[in-house]
Amino acid sequence: MQSEINPIQMNLESILTTSVFEAVKTLYSVDTEINQIQIQKTKKEFEGDLTVVVFPFVKAARKSPEQTGQEIGEYLVQNNPVISAFNVIKGFLNLNISKKYWLETLSEIHEDASFGIQNPADDAKLMMIEYSSPNTNKPLHLGHIRNNLLGHSIAEIQKANGWKVVKTNIVNDRGIHICKSMLAWKLFGNGETPESSGLKGDHLVGKYYVIFDKHYKAEIQELISKGATEEEAKKSAPLILEAQKMLLAWENNDAEVRQLWEMMNSWVYAGFDKTYEQMGVSFDKIYYESETYLEGKSEVERGEALKAFYRRDDGSVWADLTGDGLDEKLLLRADGTSVYMTQDIGTAKLRYNDYPINKMVYVVGNEQNYHFQVLAILLDKLGFEWGKNLVHFSYGMVELPEGKMKSREGTVVDADDLMQEMIDTARETSEELGKLDNCTPEEIQSIALMVGLGALKYFILKVDPRKSMTFNPKESIDFNGNTGPFIQYTHARIKSVLRKATAQGIDFSSMISTNLEISDKETNLIQLITQFPATVREAGEEFSPALIANYTYELVKEYNQFYHDFSILKEDNQALIQFRLILSESVASVVKSAMLLLGIDVPERM
RNA sequence: GGUCCUGUAGUUCAAUGGAUAGAACAAGUGUUUCCUAAACACUAGAUCCGGGUUCGAUUCCCGGCGGGACUACCA
């Protein structure tokens, strides 16, 4: 599956590897292990395109690294027509690849409409990717943004690597949290609705979650002042008792509670839909906890019958995981209501019933590492052979300079607000620079959307997903430098040149000549382009959109230098003009594909 | 206490065990009769500490120190 993904780049590397293998065998009479042959891109400050590390061969050669490199280099130049020259510095053998090879390669890439992107075959394996997974008691915030962008991007990347992908979302629509919002609304809401308040539905419900917490805290304080311990107070405050009662009523299908629940959830979904739409994410299949938790409950009961789990005197059900080096885990509360883990068991089972899943991936923050460790063990204990194969794609938290975001302390960065802020800034910048003076209001809006969201998405996705990242709300996200807009700008610039070329009647549909003297900057650009397929593959294996982001940045940075130092349309040599147009168009095309893998659109002008 | 993650310029991020540790932002300085200056160029600035493995360690191992997460009848 892999070697077919990118014949172009794979060819060069495997050709060179083979040549080096032969060289070492011929010169020193030893068979080298293939993974000992390390070929890397030559560093900028040295002459050459690709570099062979010679240290692994010096033992066999019984010569100095320099001399070994020299001998291998001579062999390669004589025996491989693709290699035009070499030089040795310390233990590094730098190879020049012939210009003709690069030009032919560019020509091939230019013909390939889906360069670097593999379309899933009919019999491709199926990967289900869960992401987003919101609670219905509060609006989405910056942490969800990272989750959603990662989920969406990883789905795109896996598709580009030939997987069939089902994007799924488990909505945590039931439980004690939503009862808190419901109760607060009932007590303090005076019938407020999204329509009456003008508030987006998810924000309205979130408001009552906060109101609940405020009153709950006050009750706790009062109880403490009357001599209760904090723990006692938390458990016995009237509001929390009331919320628990409501949860029980909900699980018992109480008509009034269910009606309230449905109404408030419908507000939330309308709000979420807007947020998702603006963010550009979507799902193929949505599961609701309210529809899966009963399956989870019956699985827990089955587990109890299997003696995998046990029931305590108070009626609560537990799994003893001390044998696995973990603690005991609650699966059903004493009052019979279910917890997060219960429904996750049910959801997993239903998914495997619904789809022929080859790989199940959960995009969930690293704060839940323990949860997924436990989930895998529990499913295994229940006899599901796939239980241990679940992949928890564990990404780092988004932190503020002061530390973790806390909804109760009002330090969360709201997703809707942040996106709007980015879009507004993009529009203002465009206006200041006078870039879009000839555009219609609709075009201006569409570009502001692309650029503002591009800045946000790139900012999030360029960071290694496993690492936690810092977001400083006081410093707005940049539009210059290593940013989404910089990449988008490069694309727009190229498109502008291509439009001019077309207007002048220049044909650059295919390459006239591969016998051209091209500069090092240009060969380097071609070489960077050839690395795109390998980057997509690596991003898929590593589950890392950041690799795509960093690759694209390197490519456009290089292109901007080229753009600055060379002229395209004002060149005298027609063949060179055509070559540079093809080069530019290929860069634009890779940039567009790469950004699409990140869920970022690129504009034709900006 | 236990388990896990993490520590790179002032800041935000890079670097399959390979060359002189790369960028960007912020600071300072240049480039526009020339295809989009949201650009390009230049200057200054960093691997937490101590051992080990290796021809070679930011990377792997051990021990410190610092930061974080989890360890709920929350999700």
Side-chain angles (χ1 to χ4, degrees):
Chain A
M1 184 164 157
Q2 283 181 7
S3 60
E4 292 160 21
I5 295 173
N6 60 81
I8 292 158
Q9 174 70 7
M10 283 314 285
N11 264 342
L12 184 54
E13 295 232 349
S14 63
I15 287 169
L16 291 182
T17 302
T18 308
S19 286
V20 171
F21 180 86
E22 284 169 10
V24 174
K25 191 177 173 74
T26 308
L27 293 168
Y28 312 122
S29 314
V30 285
D31 285 335
T32 314
E33 280 181 50
I34 296 300
N35 62 15
Q36 289 286 297
I37 300 174
Q38 300 172 49
I39 295 172
Q40 52 197 238
K41 193 173 185 307
T42 304
K43 292 215 167 197
K44 266 188 187 157
E45 55 268 39
F46 302 102
E47 164 73 22
D49 300 320
L50 287 161
T51 296
V52 180
V53 183
V54 296
F55 293 109
F57 317 124
V58 294
K59 224 173 225 171
R62 299 186 179 189
K63 288 173 182 154
S64 70
E66 288 82 353
Q67 206 176 344
T68 310
Q70 188 72 25
E71 290 178 356
I72 297 175
E74 280 165 14
Y75 179 95
L76 292 179
V77 168
Q78 277 170 22
N79 292 282
N80 192 332
V82 166
I83 300 164
S84 59
F86 76 94
N87 66 84
V88 180
I89 297 171
K90 296 185 182 171
F92 298 90
L93 169 58
N94 302 319
L95 303 173
N96 287 70
I97 307 302
S98 75
K99 304 286 185 197
K100 192 174 168 62
Y101 174 86
W102 288 127
L103 284 162
E104 283 169 358
T105 301
L106 177 64
S107 181
E108 275 177 51
I109 291 171
H110 189 249
E111 307 281 314
D112 181 358
S114 62
F115 175 64
I117 306 295
Q118 208 183 17
N119 287 315
D122 288 341
D123 60 347
K125 290 192 170 179
L126 179 75
M127 187 183 297
M128 179 175 268
I129 301 178
E130 176 198 295
Y131 69 101
S132 199
S133 308
N135 294 335
T136 53
N137 62 330
K138 55 192 171 208
L140 305 180
H141 59 66
L142 183 52
H144 296 107
I145 290 183
R146 192 177 195 190
N147 180 301
N148 281 285
L149 297 181
L150 281 172
H152 178 262
S153 178
I154 279 166
E156 292 303 309
I157 290 168
Q158 298 303 350
K159 279 189 227 169
N161 279 294
W163 284 83
K164 275 187 198 164
V165 171
V166 174
K167 294 178 288 181
T168 188
N169 184 357
I170 173 76
V171 179
N172 297 302
D173 62 343
R174 47 135 267 131
I176 191 73
H177 56 87
I178 181 67
C179 289
K180 290 177 182 175
S181 293
M182 285 156 63
L183 181 60
W185 183 86
K186 208 172 137 185
L187 294 174
F188 313 110
N190 298 316
E192 190 178 31
T193 67
E195 289 74 31
S196 75
S197 64
L199 272 175
K200 202 159 156 281
D202 49 336
H203 289 261
L204 178 66
V205 172
K207 179 177 137 186
Y208 284 97
Y209 188 69
V210 172
I211 289 174
F212 174 92
D213 201 62
K214 206 178 81 189
H215 287 89
Y216 176 40
K217 283 226 172 84
E219 288 185 354
I220 292 171
Q221 280 314 314
E222 200 187 324
L223 288 169
I224 290 175
S225 72
K226 286 180 182 163
T229 66
E230 190 177 341
E231 204 172 328
E232 287 166 357
K234 277 184 178 168
K235 282 184 179 168
S236 58
L239 271 173
I240 196 71
L241 295 176
E242 192 64 26
Q244 282 162 354
K245 237 171 85 184
M246 202 176 223
L247 178 60
L248 204 56
W250 184 92
E251 291 208 7
N252 290 327
N253 268 314
D254 178 279
E256 196 191 329
V257 171
R258 285 283 178 146
Q259 203 183 353
L260 175 60
W261 172 75
E262 271 173 24
M263 180 178 74
M264 289 181 74
N265 270 344
S266 74
W267 296 345
V268 171
Y269 297 146
F272 282 171
D273 284 347
K274 278 191 182 172
T275 306
Y276 286 142
E277 193 192 344
Q278 180 149 70
M279 215 182 284
V281 306
S282 61
F283 305 94
D284 303 308
K285 168 77 180 171
I286 297 179
Y287 289 89
Y288 296 90
E289 182 180 333
S290 57
E291 293 167 2
T292 67
Y293 83 103
L294 287 175
E295 187 67 40
K297 268 185 155 177
S298 69
E299 282 303 308
V300 170
E301 281 154 13
R302 188 169 68 82
E304 192 193 349
L306 288 171
K307 308 274 185 217
F309 311 140
Y310 71 95
R311 191 176 289 267
R312 288 186 182 170
D313 293 343
D314 64 4
S316 57
V317 179
W318 296 73
D320 181 359
L321 305 176
T322 50
D324 298 277
L326 303 172
D327 290 328
E328 299 185 17
K329 183 73 194 175
L330 175 85
L331 300 176
L332 286 176
R333 295 190 185 98
D335 66 3
T337 58
S338 63
V339 292
Y340 183 44
M341 187 62 81
T342 323
Q343 68 85 15
D344 246 3
I345 292 169
T347 308
K349 183 186 171 191
L350 288 174
R351 282 171 172 162
Y352 273 80
N353 285 346
D354 292 347
Y355 294 90
I357 296 172
N358 298 104
K359 194 170 208 172
M360 177 72 222
V361 178
Y362 293 83
V363 180
V364 179
N366 61 15
E367 58 189 354
Q368 292 189 39
N369 286 354
Y370 184 78
H371 174 81
F372 282 97
Q373 204 184 341
V374 171
L375 177 63
I377 294 171
L378 294 177
L379 289 166
D380 191 57
K381 283 187 192 292
L382 285 166
F384 297 110
E385 71 279 5
W386 40 262
K388 295 252 174 168
N389 298 331
L390 302 182
V391 177
H392 174 204
F393 175 67
S394 165
Y395 65 90
M397 300 285 100
V398 183
E399 283 165 15
L400 301 175
E402 315 69 76
K404 207 181 168 184
M405 282 188 280
K406 301 230 167 77
S407 50
R408 278 160 281 146
E409 290 168 24
T411 55
V412 288
V413 177
D414 180 76
D416 293 321
D417 292 348
L418 181 57
M419 286 194 286
Q420 193 53 50
E421 215 173 285
M422 298 302 298
I423 295 163
D424 291 343
T425 307
R427 187 185 295 105
E428 285 158 22
T429 308
S430 293
E431 279 165 9
E432 276 168 30
L433 295 171
K435 294 275 186 178
L436 304 175
D437 294 348
N438 299 322
C439 293
T440 65
E442 290 76 24
E443 285 171 325
I444 291 173
Q445 172 63 10
S446 140
I447 291 167
L449 219 75
M450 276 191 223
V451 175
L453 292 174
L456 175 61
K457 291 179 180 183
Y458 186 87
F459 177 83
I460 302 271
L461 291 175
K462 75 172 177 181
V463 181
D464 181 345
R466 282 162 192 81
K467 293 189 179 172
S468 66
M469 62 182 295
T470 308
F471 174 81
N472 189 344
K474 294 191 193 84
E475 298 169 14
S476 54
I477 293 174
D478 262 305
F479 283 67
N480 299 318
N482 185 359
T483 66
F486 173 69
I487 292 167
Q488 292 170 316
Y489 174 70
T490 309
H491 181 266
R493 248 183 166 183
I494 294 174
K495 287 295 181 171
S496 171
V497 178
L498 298 180
R499 280 193 299 273
K500 284 220 161 79
T502 305
Q504 290 174 22
I506 302 172
D507 173 27
F508 52 99
S509 53
S510 68
M511 198 102 82
I512 309 172
S513 167
T514 53
N515 281 314
L516 278 173
E517 266 315 303
I518 57 173
S519 67
D520 288 348
K521 183 59 83 186
E522 289 162 322
T523 46
N524 193 36
L525 267 173
I526 298 173
Q527 189 178 3
L528 277 169
I529 291 171
T530 65
Q531 288 172 349
F532 180 52
T535 306
V536 173
R537 178 158 32 81
E538 204 184 340
E541 284 163 4
E542 303 284 321
F543 283 79
S544 178
L547 295 177
I548 304 275
N550 291 327
Y551 162 78
T552 312
Y553 174 65
E554 199 186 337
L555 177 65
V556 300
K557 185 161 174 53
E558 196 70 7
Y559 183 83
N560 274 314
Q561 289 167 8
F562 161 74
Y563 182 92
H564 183 266
D565 293 345
F566 295 80
S567 68
I568 299 169
L569 297 174
K570 297 203 168 90
E571 171 61 41
D572 292 333
N573 182 340
Q574 282 301 311
L576 258 187
I577 293 182
Q578 195 209 29
F579 157 70
R580 286 179 184 160
L581 286 169
I582 286 174
L583 177 63
S584 299
E585 190 174 41
S586 300
V587 170
S589 159
V590 167
V591 166
K592 184 169 186 167
S593 300
M595 288 296 100
L596 235 43
L597 294 178
L598 301 183
I600 297 173
D601 277 325
V602 289
E604 297 293 310
R605 64 190 86 224
M606 69 183 269

